[in-house]
DNA sequence: CGTCCAAGGTGACAAGGTCACAGAACTCTG
DNA sequence: CAGAGTTCTGTGACCTTGTCACCTTGGACG
């Protein structure tokens, strides 16, 4: 298994020697859906590069409400945790395998060596940071200033891309947006009234994606 | 001017050779209060280490409302911009000198060299990242789940630390929290009614810090 | 002194979050 | 298959926060 590097845009250009270090000193690991990959009091000792599956990173409030901060998809890395990894600090956020996950685990010592040896690797890491931080800024903007109907429509469009139906409860949608279940129920009811979606327990179908996209701002 | 390094906790421990690189290839720069240090379409070419003053990093919504994301104080670095610096991506956030500012500017090439050469420097950088990202997580938590009176009380306590009176308009306080001016006006009126503060145009005095702290959750 | 303008106050209303509870739809088990 | 228990969804009442429109006040300055 040496060709997983090809799946990572920023790594494919690494010199042979560096790639060898990466391949030889990392290992491919698996986690089942639902597994908590990192969280309060559980900082990972590895930088993960996702080969398959997605990791959902979310935060829980004192009152139990949750919000999804971002997702790590196949071909991306769990890079924000490296700050914690090298700095020994802990985040209040939690990373959970949303599906069964296959990933390359790079030990912190190897990560540190690569940061020292390879400008391309540094670029890869900072690029990944950049993307995540941009995500966080977007979340702050949406939560602070966005309307819930717009945000919900956008999320439905994103979740439903390429799918005939979406499997999700109202509670799960509420967690996506950091709001309450009742708020989602009411919005969904309104979308249904307008004929934009149809739903049954646990699943929903987007019957008018154009209208949803329009509300979401294209 | 070689002793500024002492002011940065994570840098004081660097080996002599690395410190010399830092000192010789960076320069001390100044910016007046109000100067926009970075922002949309204006990515900095330097990593800044603040010697004096503070930089406020904030984000503006489409509708013109603003929210403060974090502040960089003397002894800290504008490190989140390095991701943008190395990755050539742009943030939607804006960094503005809140006071007259004195800072050490490290060119991106030197930053990259130091990342390669010094583990201590890497630790410094990732520590700084860690702190900022934790700040962002806290902002998300507060905006998504926090009550406005609690957040305002906490901010007043923080702003008033060591001061007899605070110079700030209701609009400025609103920007701190990402809310509307009217909301602040009403809360301030309520705090005043309870005898916790007294205010006049543009200034306010905390007359019962204990009560405010209590509401803020200590 | 009058004019102008930024800061602050206020009421009416809309949007979103909280609470309590009801009913509907699945699951499990006997 | 019936009945019990659980999970999911619907709903009304109420509270907090954000929006809008408009007003008053306090200074600055000519």
């Amino acid at each position: 298994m040496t060709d997983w590097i090809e799946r990572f845009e920023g790594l494919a250009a690494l010199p042979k020697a560096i790639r060898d270090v990466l391949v030889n000193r990392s290992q491919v690991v698996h986690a089942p859906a639902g597994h908590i990959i990192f969280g309060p009091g559980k900082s990972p000792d590895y930088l993960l590069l996702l080969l398959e599956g997605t990791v959902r990173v979310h935060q829980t409030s004192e009152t139990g409400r949750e919000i999804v901060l971002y997702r790590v998809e196949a071909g991306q890395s769990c890079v924000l945790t490296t700050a914690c990894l090298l700095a020994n600090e802990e985040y209040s956020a939690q990373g959970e395998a949303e599906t069964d996950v296959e990933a390359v685990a790079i030990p912190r010592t190897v990560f540190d060596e690569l940061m020292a040896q390879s400008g391309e690797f540094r670029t890869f890491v900072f690029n990944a940071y950049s993307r995540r931080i941009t995500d966080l800024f977007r979340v702050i903007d949406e939560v602070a200033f966005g309307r819930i109907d717009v945000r919900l429509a956008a999320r439905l469009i994103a979740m439903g891309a390429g799918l005939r139906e979406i499997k999700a409860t109202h509670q799960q949608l509420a967690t996506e947006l950091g709001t309450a279940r009742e708020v989602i129920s009411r919005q969904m009811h309104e979308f249904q009234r307008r004929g934009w979606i149809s739903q049954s327990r646990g699943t929903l179908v987007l019957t008018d994606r154009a209208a949803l996209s329009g509300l979401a701002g294209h």
Side-chain angles (χ1 to χ4, degrees), chain A residues 94-168:
Chain A
Q94 186 180 65
E96 180 181 342
E98 195 163 39
T99 62
D100 288 351
V101 156
E102 183 181 43
V104 178
I106 303 176
R108 60 193 299 167
T109 52
V110 176
F111 175 82
D112 196 46
E113 275 177 46
L114 289 170
M115 284 298 285
Q117 290 170 14
S118 168
E120 287 89 350
F121 188 77
R122 285 195 293 277
T123 301
F124 171 77
V125 168
F126 282 111
N127 265 313
Y129 262 98
S130 184
R131 224 171 295 140
R132 291 298 162 226
I133 293 169
T134 303
D135 282 347
L136 291 180
F137 285 176
R138 208 203 53 247
V139 169
I140 291 175
D141 193 84
E142 285 181 2
V143 171
F145 309 124
R147 290 178 54 90
I148 205 74
D149 51 356
V150 173
R151 294 173 60 208
L152 178 57
R155 191 60 68 121
L156 291 178
I157 288 291
M159 291 174 77
L163 300 177
R164 206 182 56 74
E165 62 176 27
I166 300 172
K167 291 268 174 209

Side-chain angles (χ1 to χ4, degrees), chain A residues 18-218:
Chain A
I18 302 291
R19 296 177 55 152
D20 287 346
V21 172
L22 255 184
V23 170
N24 294 330
R25 301 185 51 197
S26 63
Q27 49 179 325
V28 176
V29 298
H30 295 263
H35 183 250
I36 307 299
I37 294 175
F38 62 90
K42 190 182 177 190
S43 74
D45 287 323
Y46 301 91
L47 167 63
L48 293 182
L49 306 180
L50 279 207
L51 299 173
E52 289 297 335
T54 67
V55 173
R56 187 180 67 240
V57 179
H58 58 97
Q59 193 165 32
T60 306
S61 78
E62 289 178 1
T63 63
R65 265 171 64 200
E66 281 184 30
I67 184 169
V68 173
L69 300 174
Y70 58 87
R71 282 188 165 75
V72 185
E73 314 272 355
Q76 302 179 342
S77 62
C78 253
V79 79
L80 278 206
T81 58
T82 59
C84 142
L85 195 140
L86 288 191
N88 285 312
E89 258 197 55
E90 277 162 22
Y91 297 142
S92 54
Q94 186 180 65
E96 180 181 342
E98 195 163 39
T99 62
D100 288 351
V101 156
E102 183 181 43
V104 178
I106 303 176
R108 60 193 299 167
T109 52
V110 176
F111 175 82
D112 196 46
E113 275 177 46
L114 289 170
M115 284 298 285
Q117 290 170 14
S118 168
E120 287 89 350
F121 188 77
R122 285 195 293 277
T123 301
F124 171 77
V125 168
F126 282 111
N127 265 313
Y129 262 98
S130 184
R131 224 171 295 140
R132 291 298 162 226
I133 293 169
T134 303
D135 282 347
L136 291 180
F137 285 176
R138 208 203 53 247
V139 169
I140 291 175
D141 193 84
E142 285 181 2
V143 171
F145 309 124
R147 290 178 54 90
I148 205 74
D149 51 356
V150 173
R151 294 173 60 208
L152 178 57
R155 191 60 68 121
L156 291 178
I157 288 291
M159 291 174 77
L163 300 177
R164 206 182 56 74
E165 62 176 27
I166 300 172
K167 291 268 174 209
T169 66
H170 291 182
Q171 181 58 62
Q172 286 167 339
L173 292 170
T175 295
E176 290 288 325
L177 303 182
T179 183
R181 200 254 321 154
E182 296 91 323
V183 174
I184 298 294
S185 289
R186 282 195 274 260
Q187 288 297 334
M188 295 293 274
H189 188 78
E190 175 62 17
F191 286 170
Q192 194 171 30
R193 193 190 63 76
R194 296 187 198 167
W196 295 359
I197 65 167
S198 65
Q199 38 173 351
S200 68
R201 192 185 166 94
T203 70
L204 63 134
V205 178
L206 309 185
T207 51
D208 188 347
R209 293 180 197 236
L212 286 168
S213 293
L215 176 59
H218 316 288

